[in-house]
Amino acid sequence: MRMLTIGAFARACRLSPKALRLYDELELLRPARVDPDTGYRYYAVEQLEQARLVAWLRRLGMPLARIREIRALDDPTAAAREIRAYWARVEAETAARRDLAAFLVHHLSTANTGTRPGTHTVAHTGTNTETDLSRKDTAMLELRYAAHSDRGLVRPANQDTAYAGARLLAVADGFGPAGGPASSAAVEALKFLDAEEPPAGSVLNLLEDAVRGATDAVRDVADGTDEVGTTLTALLWTGSQLALVHIGDSRAYLLREGGLFRITHDHTVVQSLLDEGRLTPEEAAAHPQPALLLKALSGGAPAAPDLRLQEARPGDRYLLCSDGLPAVVPDAGIRTLLTAAPAPDEAARSLVTAANDAGGPDNVTCVVADVVETAA
Ligand code: MG
């Protein structure tokens, strides 16, 4: 083995001796030999590539522990897979933060126009606001809604809970021995949102209170175990927008101008493996535990739900559903049934029926709401 002094090795891999000493202390890259008398570090020529890799991974922002794991892999293909998985996770986290940032920007912009209605606020809040104001002048929007929940054909009990009201739409899918009480506790904790119009600019506080209330309520039911809990997907109507709160693998879809869009991301192990490129869609569809959740409201460690603000348009049709629907009815089928039904009640019923016609392996719950114009 050809050995280089730390100085020669540093020059060869274009890193500083200081960086190499740091990598040694952090156990990211150990010298091939340390002279027992002088303490000088010596590196093998073969370590050059490893040193560069460590430097690149640090530049990528990868945590030290993860770099160590990658260094321990002898197989470059496995290392490549790990880097891809790491980056997919970074992008997913960034996307969640991006949604939250957009939510806050939107919230602050609309709060501004809400407290000072009039044309002079339009100039600096942009054309979206101008459009909103002119629409509010001509027509009011409101929700028409319906909810249906069914035990399905296999499960002994229905652990789903649904709610649909003039301002609040919610679906919760409980799991564990007290899954039913858990899902109903989560939805019960949100119901105050339906009672009265949110004061201008307080949507964030309301949502935070609601999420905290639901979290506490589920924790009480679960009594310290993460084996009991629930998903929660809810939309809060503000008069022109829908604020979305989502945790778990229930879903929200939007049918707009004939297209079906899923506006929630499943917090499941399978979805994260798909995101990271570790599973193909075909492998994901055949996964033995498709419903294994990454995040939920439970008695275990608290987890933050996704938040998002959705601009409502007249003609929009929203669907909230538990996983019992998409597990057996593909998106194309959901779109067909949602499009065909003239009113929310028929839409929700036909979707529940379709799930049961496909075997009804799970509880199935559908909440459908239309955004409609009413005369001002
Ligand atoms: Mg379910």
Side-chain angles (χ1 to χ4, degrees), residues 155 159-160 172-174 231 249-250 291 322-325 327 362-364:
R155 297 291 172 90
Q159 297 197 317
D160 287 359
D173 179 351
T231 70
D249 69 346
S250 297
S322 59
D323 67 330
L325 177 70
D362 193 3
N363 306 147
V364 57

Side-chain angles (χ1 to χ4, degrees), residues 212-237:
R212 191 186 307 124
T215 306
D216 290 348
V218 174
R219 293 184 79 81
D220 284 349
V221 171
D223 203 18
T225 171
D226 63 2
E227 282 162 31
V228 171
T230 184
T231 70
L232 180 64
T233 302
L235 286 168
L236 173 64
W237 175 241

